[in-house]
Amino acid sequence: MLIAPAAFAAPADDAAPAADGAAETGGEILVTARRRQEAVQDVPLAISVVDAKAIEATGSFNVAKLTQLQPSLQFYSTNPRNSAANIRGLGAPFGLTNDGIEQGVGIYIDQVYYSRIASATFDFVDVERVEVLRGPQGTLYGKNTTAGAINITTRAPSFTPEGRAEVSIGNLGLVQVKGSVSGPLIGDKVAIRLAGSTTTRNGTIYNVTTDKHVNAQDNLGVRGQLLWKATDTLDLTFAGDYNRQNPDCCAQIYVRTGATQRPLNRQFAALAAAFNYAPPSTDAFDRVTDLDTPLKAKQEIGGASLRAELELGNGSLTSVTAWRFWNWDPSNDRDFTGLPITTVSANPSRQRQWTQEFRYAGTSGKLDYVAGLFGFHQKLHTSGLQVQGPAASRFLLNPGNVPAGSRGCATATTAACNPVVLNGLTSVNDIDFKNTSVAAFGQLTWHITDRLRLQPGLRVNYDKKTGAYTAIVTTGTGSTTLNADQRGVLAPQSYSPKFSDWNVSGDFTASYDVARDVLAYATYARSFKSGGINLSGLPLDANNNPILSAGSVKPEKVNHYEVGLKTQFLDRRATLNLSGFWTEINDYQATVTNGQLGVLRGYLANAQKVRVRGFEADFSVRPVQGLNLYASGAFTDHEYVKFTDAPCPPELSGGSTGAVASAPGTPGGVSPANCNISGQWLPGISKWSASFGGEYAVPVRLIGDDAQTYLGVDGSYRSKFSSNPSRSAYTDIAGYALFNVRAGFRTENKWDLFGWVRNVFDKNYYEVLALQSGNTGLIVGQPADPRTYGATLRLTF
């Protein structure tokens, strides 16, 4: 469902005017969601399509921006590594990324699987269309797609010479340049395509400590493709790409404080007062911070692939071979303040992956079929470093009972009041990870009649994960002999978690053509997400030793039910698509906050059961020539059906242990060892979300050419959602609506000049909220972009 509106979908008839969509021309929107080309309205699947024209017009130049057009797609990112793409609220645990588990939303570019979600933060380079497939896609796209898949197709090399160029300038120093050229290299046998993109923009947050604006953009991407028509039946496509980001990023800043169960003189206000510290602003939308650790978010992603397509018998045989790399070089301020609590937090990583897929798609009588083999191997190495500063003892250690007015220190010899205890405490982490997956899959479409089709699918998958985590911790004097307070903050650990298992995924879909332009379908899918291993350090027992049983998490087991209706009417000038879904996941993989007092990172755990259910609707229409209107909406009901031993939210954390917990937010109160959050919201999911808008174009004569002048408006809305794995009164993000406008002139296949304003009403809202470690009550967040404006010139030749 949620097929893109006519203005956002490319008709099969390329001769149609740029402003014309499939609804008016009668052209069909073609997709490859089922690994063969077919009309999107014939696919019994919840799918939406955004073509290059819509991406360019709306400024949706990466997955994060695409969410304003796709109500069921969510993207959260505190930095490129710690990013998550979710569909219908599912896909990846909410919180810091743990390398030992899979994403639940697979990203594919030109049929190559991208295992690093960081790739979603890069600009689209020379993209032809983006298909967002909702619901489990385990049969054809693999076990890493329990929530859906994002299938991106770039423009192919052309034997007709062509070129494109685009320049955008805007406030905040925005400069974005894109371009591509394509044409024959050797007659009608070899064609080449080269493309590039670069984006730079100043940061939106001013750091008074460094006198710099942070949360900037600095993206570079290049891509090349070579198409060789080796024979009349064999095409070979060689492709390579390189992408780099190197911005001053990514700051999370002071938002508010909330009362926890810690003693009052151990909460943020009192701790800050002990250092005569105050944040430069207590209004996050002043966009000012004083972070004292340099921020860095440098990453490189690239690779090469060979796709071979051979017409064979009644179908085609496809081989996709690919190698990819990811290099991550960060620096973070993990205490979110200008105080020297954590002075270094960096986990530079290097990843290499290899994939191979063989697939045959064909037709025989009343049967369409796809069958294939897939192999994946990944190697990852991370060299982590964390260093505590002179303020760490006061913030992270518990001094016990102290007199009133003492600002949290009874005597200078108390560990919490002695900076030497934690100052210079250093953890050097060495992390290795290997991940191997092999699979055999097949999907059959049986045309029982001209109207009725049955589509069973099956995938058999084997996964093996091995890891090694070693943390060597030294004191400020270089000693490896630690006391209990020091081990409670940075614990020496060495463990080698493993996971291996077979699983079987399957789906069954029945579809029926109720009328010429009315398709009804029903789907059941049984899907799995591979089990994982914890590679961010383990929680500690009462003796501050790692709990080895927490080294792995179970696979997710998904049962998914969906019904849908796809319709077109008014001579295909109007499209209305509807779907309803019900998804239950047992052993849901969650990133949870470690409840121990000083520990700075979360870890993985299984929630017993979660449920997401709802409905989606999309309507688009062209009532008159030149006018496109669309509205898409989603209702999503979501909850932890059963999660009885979850970490508690901050208002119930940080107190003493006891049989009866105190009321939430009672300073010096009693905290439960864990919390039963069954029936509560899942993080990151809005109950209501929508996108809407339209464009009106009027023919004009301009500089002797037939042209159009046009005005476009796009809006989006999402209701309140939780920004913490265990819902907290302090981390709910209020609902918000955004509006973008654009206006300009264009000619067909020559040029397009328009001005644009995004977030027209300068709405203040947060992308994410998070907690400072140690249960101090500090809530930090990432303010979203303010109003931005600029102009774009696009040339086609």
Side-chain angles (χ1 to χ4, degrees):
M1 215 287 327
L2 280 183
I3 180 173
F8 287 177
D13 179 8
D14 290 334
D20 288 347
E24 182 179 48
T25 65
E28 294 179 322
I29 305 163
L30 302 181
V31 297
T32 56
R34 293 194 291 181
R35 299 304 197 188
R36 58 180 180 268
Q37 193 174 78
E38 54 192 332
V40 67
Q41 286 295 97
D42 294 337
V43 180
L45 173 68
I47 178 174
S48 53
V49 185
V50 181
D51 77 340
K53 294 175 182 176
I55 290 170
E56 294 163 353
T58 60
S60 304
F61 54 84
N62 58 27
V63 172
K65 299 294 185 183
L66 198 63
T67 59
Q68 292 190 31
L69 300 180
Q70 303 297 319
S72 293
L73 175 65
Q74 300 92 32
F75 186 79
Y76 307 101
S77 179
T78 56
N79 62 41
R81 180 180 185 271
N82 293 306
S83 300
N86 286 356
I87 293 176
R88 295 171 173 168
L90 301 174
F94 201 87
L96 296 179
T97 295
N98 194 306
D99 292 320
I101 65 166
E102 314 278 349
Q103 296 280 330
V105 174
I107 296 178
Y108 291 78
I109 300 180
D110 291 337
Q111 304 183 41
V112 174
Y113 169 56
Y114 283 48
S115 63
R116 297 306 312 192
I117 188 61
S119 61
T121 67
F122 281 99
D123 295 355
F124 295 140
V125 178
D126 207 25
V127 165
E128 179 180 283
R129 68 177 182 277
V130 178
E131 302 167 15
V132 180
L133 288 62
R134 284 179 296 284
Q137 307 297 322
T139 297
L140 297 182
Y141 288 87
K143 41 80 184 176
N144 59 298
T145 54
T146 50
I150 300 173
N151 188 27
I152 299 172
T153 301
T154 66
R155 293 186 176 100
S158 169
F159 285 95
T160 300
E162 64 175 40
R164 302 169 188 269
E166 178 183 312
V167 177
S168 297
I169 58 173
N171 67 324
L172 298 175
L174 171 71
V175 177
Q176 186 176 69
V177 180
K178 298 180 181 181
S180 66
V181 292
S182 186
L185 199 62
I186 303 176
D188 59 355
K189 289 294 184 180
V190 180
I192 190 172
R193 187 173 198 94
L194 301 174
S197 172
T198 179
T199 302
T200 58
R201 196 191 73 178
N202 298 332
T204 56
I205 296 174
Y206 177 64
N207 189 339
V208 299
T209 301
T210 61
D211 192 27
K212 288 184 177 180
H213 282 85
V214 296
N215 290 11
Q217 295 180 12
D218 183 5
N219 298 346
L220 171 69
V222 293
R223 170 179 291 274
Q225 295 185 75
L226 192 70
L227 171 62
W228 177 26
K229 290 188 171 295
T231 70
D232 291 340
T233 58
L234 175 63
D235 290 350
L236 301 174
T237 302
F238 304 86
D241 66 281
Y242 171 80
N243 304 271
R244 177 202 47 79
Q245 290 180 338
N246 192 22
D248 292 324
C249 187
C250 300
Q252 296 178 71
I253 65 176
Y254 180 102
V255 172
R256 64 176 74 97
T257 59
T260 72
Q261 306 285 57
R262 258 188 160 190
L264 193 60
N265 54 15
R266 302 296 299 146
Q267 298 195 31
F268 183 80
L271 291 168
F275 291 94
N276 295 315
Y277 170 79
S281 174
T282 56
D283 182 352
F285 296 110
D286 287 340
R287 294 182 167 84
V288 178
T289 189
D290 61 349
L291 302 184
D292 57 344
T293 297
L295 298 180
K296 185 179 181 182
K298 182 180 180 180
Q299 65 166 338
E300 297 174 306
I301 289 180
S305 66
L306 169 62
R307 186 173 71 250
E309 297 170 299
L310 174 66
E311 294 180 14
L312 183 65
N314 294 324
S316 62
L317 177 65
T318 301
S319 169
V320 183
T321 307
W323 168 82
R324 298 204 60 76
F325 70 88
W326 175 65
N327 298 328
W328 170 238
D329 188 10
S331 176
N332 309 296
D333 193 320
R334 293 302 301 161
D335 59 53
F336 313 112
T337 71
L339 289 169
I341 304 170
T342 301
T343 57
V344 178
S345 178
N347 288 278
S349 298
R350 300 291 183 268
Q351 181 205 272
R352 304 295 182 264
Q353 75 167 60
W354 298 263
T355 56
Q356 174 63 58
E357 181 172 2
F358 296 104
R359 186 176 68 249
Y360 185 78
T363 299
S364 178
K366 292 188 175 183
L367 301 178
D368 299 329
Y369 52 88
V370 179
L373 301 171
F374 178 78
F376 168 79
H377 182 67
Q378 173 190 28
K379 294 176 66 176
L380 178 72
H381 179 76
T382 299
S383 302
L385 179 64
Q386 188 162 295
V387 181
Q388 301 306 112
S393 296
R394 184 70 68 92
F395 265 79
L396 299 178
L397 299 181
N398 191 343
N401 295 324
V402 295
S406 64
R407 285 191 171 182
C409 285
T411 69
T413 58
T414 302
C417 304
N418 183 358
V420 174
V421 176
L422 293 185
N423 188 26
L425 187 71
T426 300
S427 179
V428 178
N429 305 332
D430 190 79
I431 306 170
D432 284 297
F433 177 57
K434 293 182 180 179
N435 182 10
T436 299
S437 181
V438 293
F441 60 90
Q443 188 178 79
L444 180 71
T445 303
W446 179 20
H447 298 259
I448 296 179
T449 70
D450 291 341
R451 292 189 172 190
L452 177 63
R453 293 164 295 279
L454 301 180
Q455 178 185 288
L458 191 70
R459 188 182 188 101
V460 180
N461 211 96
Y462 173 75
D463 295 292
K464 182 179 181 180
K465 295 181 171 70
T466 59
Y469 181 97
T470 300
I472 298 174
V473 181
T474 56
T475 67
T477 61
S479 173
T480 57
T481 301
L482 310 179
N483 61 37
D485 290 318
Q486 293 164 336
R487 290 178 62 87
V489 173
L490 293 177
Q493 300 190 28
S494 181
Y495 62 98
S496 299
K498 297 180 180 180
F499 173 85
S500 63
D501 199 9
W502 290 87
N503 66 65
V504 178
S505 296
D507 55 48
F508 184 85
T509 299
S511 59
Y512 184 74
D513 293 326
V514 179
R516 175 176 175 267
D517 292 319
V518 180
L519 170 69
Y521 67 90
T523 296
Y524 167 73
R526 172 71 167 176
S527 189
F528 293 83
K529 187 165 77 171
S530 171
I533 56 179
N534 270 305
L535 289 176
S536 294
L538 298 179
L540 308 179
D541 61 19
N543 296 317
N544 283 335
N545 293 315
I547 302 172
L548 296 179
S549 61
S552 62
V553 290
K554 302 174 185 177
E556 289 185 354
K557 295 175 283 292
V558 182
N559 286 298
H560 173 78
Y561 308 86
E562 183 159 343
V563 293
L565 191 68
K566 292 187 168 186
T567 70
Q568 288 185 308
F569 50 96
L570 296 180
D571 195 25
R572 294 189 175 180
R573 289 184 293 109
T575 299
L576 174 63
N577 291 338
L578 306 169
S579 70
F581 60 91
W582 186 302
T583 305
E584 294 181 343
I585 302 179
N586 292 300
D587 294 322
Y588 174 76
Q589 296 169 356
T591 298
V592 298
T593 303
N594 197 318
Q596 293 158 306
L597 184 63
V599 178
L600 301 180
R601 296 186 68 85
Y603 62 99
L604 294 172
N606 288 110
Q608 292 96 321
K609 187 175 183 179
V610 304
R611 182 192 64 219
V612 176
R613 60 188 177 184
F615 58 84
E616 300 161 325
D618 175 89
F619 177 68
S620 63
V621 64
R622 180 167 305 210
V624 296
Q625 174 70 26
L627 176 62
N628 287 301
L629 301 173
Y630 72 93
S632 302
F635 167 80
T636 310
D637 178 60
H638 52 95
E639 69 175 17
Y640 292 105
V641 176
K642 186 177 183 182
F643 197 2
T644 56
D645 57 352
C648 295
E651 53 264 48
L652 282 171
S653 301
S656 59
T657 58
V660 180
S662 304
T666 302
V670 176
S671 294
N674 49 49
C675 284
N676 182 351
I677 61 172
S678 303
Q680 291 188 14
W681 283 3
L682 292 167
I685 309 178
S686 294
K687 181 165 286 190
W688 296 97
S689 57
S691 63
F692 45 87
E695 181 182 288
Y696 185 56
V698 178
V700 296
R701 290 286 294 178
L702 193 65
I703 318 177
D705 282 337
D706 291 331
Q708 293 178 327
T709 180
Y710 62 93
L711 172 67
V713 179
D714 303 292
S716 62
Y717 168 79
R718 63 178 307 183
S719 61
K720 180 169 64 174
F721 64 95
S722 168
S723 188
N724 195 56
S726 297
R727 189 182 179 192
S728 166
Y730 307 144
T731 56
D732 277 356
I733 294 181
Y736 55 86
L738 302 175
F739 294 87
N740 308 322
V741 299
R742 62 188 184 277
F745 298 90
R746 65 188 170 209
T747 60
E748 173 61 18
N749 293 327
K750 287 186 178 181
W751 57 267
D752 186 359
L753 175 63
F754 62 98
W756 46 265
V757 183
R758 293 163 191 151
N759 191 4
V760 172
F761 299 109
D762 202 19
K763 177 66 177 179
N764 288 329
Y765 67 101
Y766 297 105
E767 294 180 341
V768 292
L769 293 176
L771 313 174
Q772 185 186 49
S773 60
N775 304 309
T776 68
L778 175 61
I779 309 300
V780 298
Q782 199 159 291
D785 284 352
R787 177 170 50 227
T788 58
Y789 50 87
T792 297
L793 173 63
R794 185 177 304 117
L795 303 175
T796 304
F797 50 90

